[in-house]
């Protein structure tokens, strides 16, 4: 077996992603986007578009495809074209369906919208004055938390009583997931059943959303998604082209393919919020924290559909403190919507907290690692449930040794004309599970098939499913065929919250125990080969009475082609006993040119405690990808919105992500401590924790190299020019 | 992209006899056609024309269709030219893009590239949103109230520093123009980017012999390590005799509306000792006439620093 089950298909171009499918009589949809940030569409002239060559239909709010807002456990999802309101520049306001992609695109350019333009709020600085409490029942919506030690009247008092105080305001830029695969879909209707081929994070969730949007029964919708070209939270919800393709296909009776262009992806999907965070840390002379105050603001769309909570997962969990105050406000803006993006909350939140901790270390003249270890939490702050397994100290010890941390000096060092600095930060991401079901089938040919509805958008889940199944069935991994990405499979393996392996993996263990049990039942039934024998299962075979029969042979003997069991697993009692998280120590070395002030990361290392690592290679890939994205957030990525609400850099020429030359060396190490208090498999998550803390580690290294503290990301050349 | 007709002439005369837009590497033209910025009806693929050859025996001569990658890799090319090429775009683009096309590449101003926005360069008189908009990447030198777009080429900066000339042919005949004179400041007519006449074709690029340009370099400062346009760049060649600078060539990119020759810096370097103080004094001359916009005020400082860095790199181990 290859290291990744899906690698041969991907590297030979045979993996068929959603938009790679093709059907006879297929039509093509091209979206029309708004060119104002706020207002009402007064009219849309579609005459020339409708008369353009090859055009089949033009749908607008004046002649819409009917869609209903679907509601799932993620809440409501917005659907396009249902009203004339425009809430951001680049919002989908129409779709042209034509015989070819080119015809649809050319006609879309002929659609002429006129607007009643209303005042728009497009910047955080403008919107901060009217910040609001988050609406209830949204992800991360807790608006305030205050814990005070006995006898302390207020957080202000606790700070005032602290011998050493650092206080600063940090900000982080809005980002787009910018996945390689643009949001796209192909929809077909056959005999009243809709099939949609589209990249997503859980095919069952997509099928539910489409059924809701189209007001049809769930069993009439199939979502197919065997491969995903990157998701990162941005393909949790169903995209505008998927809704429009599905509805247009129903209306036209033909297959419809709709894909966003790269430029459209930047506004017609959702991205990461901007954040502003005010941090105050109070400590005693030994660096023991007395008070932590973390006030957060995040941008959100005008529908207030998402909150990026930056304090709860960071200051609420990292460091023990007798006095803690967290607040979260939202700033509604006329900008594209926000949503989950790798470590939502923790990624920008850790930039602020871990920068502030570095500032505190400087103020105290204490080693930054030492400061962190002195204050390391044993439980989320104010909670009784201790971390089930936390080896952050070991991560720092190994990391410091491996990275050469002892060579770091407070003022950095120089190498020719380069100023060289080292930085560090902690990473923490909660470990959780979603309910998951998997189907496990033993086949008479001696192989097994494992199926669940979730997705492997590069995470390695497909390979891990095969491994855990092989292990649970005590057979070689290459005898297991893993299947993901079909909504008819049992619901499980949602690629979200760093839960895929722990959730689906434990369900596999349950399914394996069941199918083995069923197999033994069949083996010992009257007339079966092991009748009347004390039989057991080992090495992929039934053993008893001096005989060994591999399960394939046994199924043959029983006249069966296969035997299937379903296993389900969900969070249970363990959540009443412990708190769970993955932890990490991030290190990086940054060089800043003495004259021209470019900051370049030259080395980085992350040492992580993520429980049992099922597959070292795919886990490393996840962590390294997260760390690289952290560098990208620290030095490159920012959506630049103009006052008009127009995105000034909505393509890969303007929206910078690191290229290979920016990422010379990524070193990842794991400490291996299976966490069986969390789940039977012992695995925690690796999908998100790798990005957490990295931006702060970069900023802290920049400070070490230059003495310049930059409290916003991305850090660019002008931040480091001193004249 | 709109429908267009594609023909492929095989002689220069045939190419000149047909009205249309010339396609060489296509790395600018096809890009802008996809964005609907350029909508030619007739495209002439000139890759079959005999405009090839790299000759370094007496100065440099490049056929206009020579690829950036091939010129960069040629051993006889002055370092400032090959470095400017190698720091441009990506290997894939350098394999496609021609030297002639490079000199005609259009600005990367995002407003120029977005047909939903006004742009005086694309649509004369429609306005310039960059002046009050997202202008961090824009020019601080050679700007006008009608346009502040930066010239995007790296190698043009090196070539202007080296007094390069280009040969242009049309049905009216052939002419040779200094590259520095070829480019036009935006002034009142930003839509006129250069002196190229309708139907005219660049056939050759020539650099006069300059032996001391063996001591030359191109420093490019940008937001990431590769595959990004310059925030600021400096093309510098230096002639040093006995610790004294006897001559210098200096030009800047990423900061101006055209490749920006810095004769005042050159003059300030001549006759000076190889010291940091000489470099700093000379670099201070670079910012004469700088007009910062809201988001690019750092470019003046960065320009001086980029020049100093280039000078230091060229005199490593010789600095007094």
């Amino acid at each position: 077996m290859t290291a990744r089950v899906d690698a041969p298909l991907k590297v030979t171009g045979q993996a068929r992603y959603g938009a790679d499918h093709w059907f006879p009589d297929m039509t093509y949809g091209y979206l029309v986007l708004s060119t104002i940030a706020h207002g009402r569409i007064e009219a849309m002239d579609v005459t020339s578009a409708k008369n353009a060559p090859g055009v089949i239909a033009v749908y607008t709010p004046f002649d819409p495809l009917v869609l209903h807002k679907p509601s799932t456990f993620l809440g409501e999802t917005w659907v396009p074209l249902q009203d004339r309101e425009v809430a951001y520049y680049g919002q989908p306001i129409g779709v042209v369906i034509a015989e070819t992609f080119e015809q649809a695109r050319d006609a879309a350019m002929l659609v002429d919208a006129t607007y009643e333009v209303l005042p728009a709020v497009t910047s955080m600085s403008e919107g901060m004055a009217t910040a609001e409490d988050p609406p209830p029942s949204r992800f991360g919506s807790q608006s305030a938390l205050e814990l005070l030690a006995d006898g302390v009247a207020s957080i202000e008092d606790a700070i005032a009583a602290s011998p050493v105080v650092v206080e600063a305001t940090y900000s982080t830029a809005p980002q787009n997931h910018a996945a390689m695969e643009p949001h796209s879909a192909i929809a077909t209707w056959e005999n009243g059943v809709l099939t949609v081929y589209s990249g997503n994070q859980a095919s069952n969730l997509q099928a539910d959303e489409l059924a809701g949007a189209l007001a049809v029964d769930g069993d009439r919708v199939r979502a197919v998604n065997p491969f995903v070209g990157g998701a990162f939270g941005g393909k949790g919800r169903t995209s505008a082209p998927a809704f429009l393709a599905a509805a247009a296909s129903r209306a036209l009776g033909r297959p419809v393919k709709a894909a966003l262009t790269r430029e459209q992806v930047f506004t017609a999907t959702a991205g990461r919020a901007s954040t502003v965070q005010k941090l105050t840390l109070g400590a005693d002379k030994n660096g023991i924290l007395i008070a932590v105050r973390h006030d957060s603001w995040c941008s959100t769309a005008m529908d207030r559909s998402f909150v990026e909570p930056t304090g709860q997962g960071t200051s609420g969990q990292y460091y023990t403190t007798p006095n803690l105050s967290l607040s979260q406000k939202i700033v509604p803006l006329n900008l594209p919507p926000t949503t989950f993006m790798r470590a939502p909350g923790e990624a920008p939140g850790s930039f602020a907290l871990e920068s502030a901790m570095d500032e505190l270390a400087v103020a105290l003249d204490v080693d930054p690692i030492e400061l962190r270890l002195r204050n390391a939490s044993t439980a989320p702050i104010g909670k009784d449930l201790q971390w089930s397994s936390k080896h952050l100290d070991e991560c720092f010890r190994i990391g410091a040794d491996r990275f050469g941390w002892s060579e770091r000096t407070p003022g950095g060092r120089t190498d020719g004309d380069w100023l060289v600095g080292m930085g560090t930060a902690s990473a923490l991401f909660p470990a959780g599970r979603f309910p998951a079901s998997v189907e496990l089938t033993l086949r008479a040919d001696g192989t097994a098939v494992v199926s669940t509805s979730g997705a492997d958008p590069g995470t390695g889940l497909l390979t891990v499913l095969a491994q855990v199944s092989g292990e649970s069935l005590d057979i070689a991994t290459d005898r297991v065929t893993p299947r993901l990405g079909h909504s008819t499979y049992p619901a499980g393996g949602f690629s979200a919250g760093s839960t895929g392996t722990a959730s689906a993996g434990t369900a596999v263990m349950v399914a394996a125990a069941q199918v083995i049990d069923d197999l033994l039942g069949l083996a010992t039934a009257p007339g079966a080969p092991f009748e009347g024998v004390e039989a057991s299962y080992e090495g992929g075979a039934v053993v008893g009475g001096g005989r060994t029969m591999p399960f394939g042979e046994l199924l043959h003997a029983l006249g069966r082609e296969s035997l299937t069991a379903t296993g389900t697993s969900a969070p249970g009692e363990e959540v009443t006993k412990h708190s769970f998280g993955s932890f990490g120590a991030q290190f990086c070395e940054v060089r800043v040119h003495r004259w021209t002030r470019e900051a370049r990361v030259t080395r980085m290392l992350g040492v992580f405690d993520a429980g049992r690592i099922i597959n070292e290679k795919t886990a490393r890939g996840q962590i390294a990808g997260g760390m690289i994205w952290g560098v990208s957030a620290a030095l490159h990525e920012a959506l630049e919105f103009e006052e008009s609400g127009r995105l000034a850099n909505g393509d890969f020429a303007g929206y910078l992500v690191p290229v290979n030359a920016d990422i010379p060396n990524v070193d990842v190490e794991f400490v291996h401590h299976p966490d069986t208090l969390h789940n039977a498999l012992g695995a925690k998550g690796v999908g998100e924790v790798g990005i957490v803390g990295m931006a702060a580690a970069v900023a802290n290294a920049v400070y070490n190299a230059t003495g310049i503290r930059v409290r916003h990301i991305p850090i660019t050349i002008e931040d480091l020019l001193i004249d | 992209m709109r429908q267009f007709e594609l023909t492929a002439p095989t002689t220069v005369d045939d190419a000149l006899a047909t009205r249309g837009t010339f396609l060489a590497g296509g790395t600018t033209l096809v890009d802008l056609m996809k964005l609907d910025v350029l909508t030619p009806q007739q495209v002439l693929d000139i890759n079959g024309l005999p405009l090839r050859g790299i000759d370094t025996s007496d100065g440099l001569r490049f056929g206009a269709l020579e690829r950036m990658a091939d010129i960069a890799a040629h051993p006889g090319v002055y370092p400032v030219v090959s470095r400017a090429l190698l720091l441009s775009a990506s290997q894939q683009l350098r394999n496609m893009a021609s030297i002639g096309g490079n000199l005609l590449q259009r600005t990367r101003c995002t407003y120029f590239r977005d047909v939903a926005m006004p742009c005086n360069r694309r649509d004369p008189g429609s306005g310039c949103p960059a002046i009050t908009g997202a202008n961090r990447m824009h020019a601080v030198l050679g700007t006008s109230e009608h346009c502040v777009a930066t010239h995007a080429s790296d190698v043009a900066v090196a070539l202007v520093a080296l007094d390069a000339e280009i040969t242009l042919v049309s049905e009216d005949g052939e002419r040779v123009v200094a590259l520095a004179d070829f480019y036009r400041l935006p002034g009142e007519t930003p839509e006129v980017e250069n002196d190229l006449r309708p139907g005219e074709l660049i056939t050759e690029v020539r650099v006069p012999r300059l032996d001391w340009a063996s001591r030359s370099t191109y420093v490019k400062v940008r937001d990431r390590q590769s595959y990004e346009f310059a925030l600021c760049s400096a093309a510098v060649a230096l002639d040093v005799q006995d610790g004294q600078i006897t001559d210098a060539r200096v030009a800047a990119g990423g900061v101006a509306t055209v490749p920006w020759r810095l004769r005042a810096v050159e003059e300030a370097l001549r006759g000076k000792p190889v010291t940091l103080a000489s470099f700093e004094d000379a670099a201070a001359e670079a910012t004469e006439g700088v007009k910062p916009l809201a988001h690019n005020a750092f470019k003046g400082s960065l320009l001086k620093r980029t020049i100093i860095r280039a000078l230091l790199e060229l005199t490593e181990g010789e600095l007094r």
Side-chain angles (χ1 to χ4, degrees), chain A residues 178-412:
Chain A
M180 289 281 277
E181 176 197 33
H183 297 62
S184 55
I186 294 172
T188 69
W189 285 82
E190 241 173 287
N191 307 319
V193 174
L194 166 69
T195 306
V196 170
Y197 303 81
S198 178
N200 61 64
Q201 294 173 223
S203 56
N204 58 305
L205 178 62
Q206 176 144 94
D208 287 350
E209 287 199 324
L210 287 165
L214 297 161
V216 297
D217 288 343
D219 60 5
R220 311 199 74 126
V221 179
R222 298 190 308 162
V224 182
N225 172 48
F227 300 101
V228 192
F232 314 111
K235 289 176 186 161
R237 295 175 186 277
T238 302
S239 64
F243 284 128
L244 292 171
S249 175
R250 175 162 68 175
L252 300 171
R254 292 176 64 180
V256 175
K257 173 174 178 170
L260 297 178
T261 64
R262 174 57 61 191
E263 291 80 0
Q264 290 177 334
V265 168
F266 281 96
T267 65
T269 69
R272 193 191 300 275
S274 319
T275 76
V276 174
Q277 303 169 62
K278 187 176 170 194
L279 254 293
T280 311
L281 303 178
D284 70 16
K285 298 278 188 204
N286 294 318
I288 303 300
L289 287 168
I290 295 169
V292 174
R293 178 174 182 167
H294 193 156
D295 296 314
S296 300
W297 294 260
C298 70
S299 65
T300 189
M302 279 299 172
D303 66 4
R304 293 145 173 85
S305 52
F306 187 78
V307 182
E308 176 109 20
T310 42
Q312 294 166 33
T314 55
S315 295
Q317 309 214 334
Y318 275 49
Y319 302 115
T320 302
T321 175
N323 301 288
L324 172 69
S325 172
L326 306 178
S327 74
Q328 178 69 54
K329 298 277 188 191
I330 59 168
V331 179
L333 298 176
N334 290 107
L335 294 179
T338 60
T339 191
F340 304 94
M341 182 187 288
R342 207 171 205 166
E346 289 84 358
S350 62
F351 167 67
L353 175 61
E354 290 297 276
S355 292
M357 284 298 277
D358 201 64
E359 299 204 45
L360 183 61
V362 171
L364 289 159
D365 195 20
V366 171
D367 180 84
I369 293 176
E370 180 57 31
L371 179 67
R372 286 174 170 85
L373 294 180
R374 279 181 203 171
N375 289 286
S377 67
T378 52
I381 314 315
K383 296 240 169 78
D384 296 331
L385 301 181
Q386 301 222 324
W387 300 116
S388 56
S389 173
K390 179 180 181 183
H391 300 272
L392 183 62
D393 51 349
E394 188 182 343
C395 294
F396 270 114
R397 201 172 60 244
I398 291 172
D401 186 47
R402 187 152 165 165
F403 202 67
W405 184 256
S406 62
E407 287 161 33
R408 175 184 179 272
T409 57

Side-chain angles (χ1 to χ4, degrees), chain A residues 596 600 642 657 718 723, chain B residues 111 136 224-225 301 309:
Chain A
T596 47
R600 301 284 188 249
E642 299 175 6
V657 296
E718 55 266 49
D723 55 17
Chain B
Y111 302 98
R136 177 173 177 268
R224 66 182 169 196
Q225 188 64 16
S301 166
R309 177 174 170 182

Side-chain angles (χ1 to χ4, degrees), chain B residues 8 13 41 61 77 95 131 179 191 194 199 247 255 274 281:
Chain B
D13 286 345
Q41 293 181 345
R61 290 170 78 100
V77 171
N95 287 342
I131 289 171
L179 187 61
E191 71 278 14
N194 53 48
D247 206 350
V255 290
V274 178
D281 288 349

